Amino acid sequence: MSGWKLQRQFTRRHSVLVFSLPFLTLTAIFTNEYVLFSFALFFVLLLTVNKWYLDYACSRITIPRGNEVKRIFPGELATLQLPIEYSGKVPIFSGKLSYFLYDTDGAVLLAAEERSSANLREEHRFSVPPLTKRVYDLQVKGVKRGTAQIRSLELVVHDIFQFSSIHLTYAGSYRSEVIVYPEIRSFHGLEKIIQQEQGAQPRSFSLYEDVMMTRGNRKYTTGDPFNRINWKASARAEQLQTKIYEKITVSMWTIVINVKSKLRTRQTIDFFEEALSQAAYTCQYAAKHDISFEIFVNIKMPGTMTGLHLPYGNGKHHLLRALELLARLRASNVTVPVENMLHAVFQQPVQQQCILHFGAYGEEEERKYSMERQDGKTIYYVQTTGDGVYLTMAGGRQHESAAT
């Protein structure tokens, strides 16, 4: 039976009946009591029908393949759904559906009751008519960054007379999950970052051109590619004309998040959530202004010692990937040394135009950033104090903006 693991369970009444049948049958044969023999035959038929009914009903219970993922911010509502299809032609009279809402972060509350959903087990009566599709809903409210999933789905189906039951444990691929994005905590200073551009903007001098933005034409010169010839303009001018495209620059930000704590008693910093919320705002700001960005986090990942990396991208889809990445981080994650992460940051073939540092900042970061600033890189770190949030030039301790 695809997607389910089953275990058959029997009641005491069933066991008594099964063990009584041989005695009842032998007594009927030796005494020539047709009534006793009829009872024995009836009980055999009853047990056979009950077994057939359970096998038939349970073999026709399915859950569609795929995943359902709901994405919300704190304070928003989402409905987790559990779809169950029953293709049998006889009804299921009695059963019980139960599942476990895995929410170790306390990311959501049950919307109807406003109570914690952590380690919550939900149960529903399972009684369905033939050829039925049913959806079980669980509405939750986002409280804080994190994820919650429906797990440990179990279904118990009883026979008609409740002599026995089949316990079904779901082992298929369907998953229902809600992702609560980090709270967006804004701060001033991103708009004042000293760089040549924000996004893909026309510029007078650039190595890049936007072939979708034609600025004009000029006389053809030897070496111009033929795909740049404007044939209509050439026909009017009676000589070859080459298209002139707008010069653009493509802005790129590297978001570096150091979450490693200096204390041996814990893995991550005590302002872990604040750093991720500030990084989330930066991702949102970059996407809004068409700025490509990447993310580095010094969280240990399989196969690498440099930490977690989201490559460059831009637009709404890339923003959603970034927010989901930040939502899935845990304060209990194992970290890697910040020097390993910074080594990966500055070993990339792409030259970063702007680096923004979040989280812990110390002598190692100051030393490394001072060296990189000498190569012309623009580097800032976001400093959180009791007075507010500062966007500060890294590698020089020079404030670039006021507290927010």
Side-chain angles (χ1 to χ4, degrees):
M1 195 166 46
S2 178
W4 297 97
K5 294 181 180 179
L6 64 88
Q7 180 181 4
R8 198 177 296 272
Q9 298 175 335
F10 303 99
T11 63
R12 180 175 295 181
R13 288 183 299 167
H14 180 277
S15 301
V16 171
L17 186 59
V18 169
F19 286 115
S20 300
L21 275 177
F23 174 77
L24 190 62
T25 304
L26 291 175
T27 302
I29 293 174
F30 286 118
T31 60
N32 290 325
E33 289 287 342
Y34 292 103
V35 175
L36 288 179
F37 189 79
S38 298
F39 272 117
L41 187 61
F42 171 75
F43 288 140
V44 169
L45 183 62
L46 177 65
L47 293 176
T48 303
V49 170
N50 269 350
K51 183 179 184 302
W52 172 86
Y53 169 78
L54 281 180
D55 291 341
Y56 175 84
C58 293
S59 65
R60 283 158 175 78
I61 300 173
T62 58
I63 294 179
R65 294 178 179 271
N67 296 322
E68 181 197 44
V69 181
K70 298 296 180 67
R71 298 172 172 86
I72 59 175
F73 284 96
E76 296 179 344
L77 297 177
T79 301
L80 294 176
Q81 295 185 328
L82 183 59
I84 296 182
E85 298 180 2
Y86 177 59
S87 59
K89 296 183 179 180
V90 295
I92 295 178
F93 297 99
S94 178
K96 183 177 70 173
L97 171 69
S98 63
Y99 54 84
F100 180 76
L101 184 62
Y102 185 76
D103 180 21
T104 57
D105 302 317
V108 297
L109 293 175
L110 294 183
E113 306 172 22
E114 288 289 335
R115 65 183 175 93
S116 174
S117 64
N119 303 322
L120 173 71
R121 189 165 191 84
E122 283 280 297
E123 293 187 355
H124 299 273
R125 182 173 176 270
F126 189 75
S127 176
V128 294
L131 305 175
T132 300
K133 294 182 180 180
R134 184 165 291 178
V135 178
Y136 294 87
D137 294 336
L138 180 65
Q139 191 175 55
V140 296
K141 179 180 180 181
V143 177
K144 55 177 288 190
R145 184 192 62 83
T147 61
Q149 297 177 341
I150 289 181
R151 295 186 181 180
S152 303
L153 173 61
E154 297 178 353
L155 186 60
V156 179
V157 179
H158 298 280
D159 63 32
I160 300 174
F161 299 98
Q162 297 198 2
F163 285 159
S164 61
S165 62
I166 289 183
H167 188 113
L168 300 170
T169 302
Y170 185 67
S173 61
Y174 181 80
R175 294 291 182 272
S176 185
E177 179 183 38
V178 58
I179 300 174
V180 184
Y181 291 144
E183 179 183 357
I184 303 297
R185 297 187 181 179
S186 61
F187 57 92
H188 295 302
L190 292 179
E191 68 281 357
K192 298 179 181 178
I193 291 179
I194 302 174
Q195 32 180 107
Q196 190 179 9
E197 78 295 326
Q198 289 183 347
Q201 307 273 348
R203 298 295 175 194
S204 301
F205 303 97
S206 175
L207 297 176
Y208 306 101
E209 295 177 328
D210 188 347
V211 296
M212 301 301 295
M213 300 173 62
T214 304
R215 190 174 58 177
N217 302 294
R218 62 171 174 79
K219 184 179 178 181
Y220 175 81
T221 58
T222 304
D224 286 346
F226 278 96
N227 61 355
R228 291 198 173 200
I229 295 177
N230 190 330
W231 297 104
K232 291 184 179 180
S234 299
R236 290 194 299 266
E238 297 183 352
Q239 60 179 342
L240 291 177
Q241 298 287 311
T242 301
K243 296 178 183 178
I244 302 175
Y245 298 115
E246 289 284 2
K247 301 288 186 178
I248 64 169
T249 54
V250 180
S251 186
M252 295 181 293
W253 286 2
T254 296
I255 298 172
V256 177
I257 310 174
N258 179 16
V259 298
K260 185 176 180 62
S261 174
K262 295 181 180 180
L263 302 176
R264 295 183 178 180
T265 55
R266 57 183 302 166
Q267 284 288 339
T268 55
I269 54 179
D270 55 358
F271 55 102
F272 184 76
E273 296 297 334
E274 290 82 354
L276 296 186
S277 293
Q278 294 161 2
Y281 169 70
T282 305
C283 295
Q284 188 183 68
Y285 184 93
K288 181 179 178 181
H289 293 81
D290 197 24
I291 298 173
S292 298
F293 65 92
E294 63 177 343
I295 298 177
F296 284 89
V297 190
N298 56 335
I299 293 292
K300 188 174 182 180
M301 299 296 294
T304 177
M305 288 302 296
T306 59
L308 179 62
H309 177 220
L310 176 68
Y312 275 114
N314 59 5
K316 181 179 179 180
H317 179 70
H318 188 64
L319 173 63
L320 295 180
R321 290 182 61 195
L323 293 177
E324 181 173 339
L325 179 151
L326 296 176
R328 294 188 182 277
L329 297 180
R330 300 288 180 268
S332 58
N333 287 146
V334 178
T335 57
V336 299
V338 65
E339 52 267 24
N340 291 14
M341 176 177 64
L342 294 181
H343 177 78
V345 170
F346 294 114
Q347 287 298 313
Q348 295 187 101
V350 178
Q351 293 296 317
Q352 302 92 342
Q353 291 185 336
C354 181
I355 298 174
L356 295 162
H357 183 102
F358 298 85
Y361 188 90
E363 295 181 359
E364 176 63 27
E365 294 89 333
E366 178 74 7
R367 181 188 64 80
K368 184 66 175 177
Y369 288 151
S370 296
M371 295 173 55
E372 296 297 332
R373 280 190 62 191
Q374 296 176 6
D375 293 336
K377 291 184 173 61
T378 304
I379 308 172
Y380 294 89
Y381 78 95
V382 179
Q383 181 181 18
T384 303
T385 68
D387 298 329
V389 181
Y390 297 89
L391 187 64
T392 305
M393 180 70 75
R397 301 289 187 183
Q398 299 175 6
H399 289 290
E400 293 292 330
S401 67
T404 62

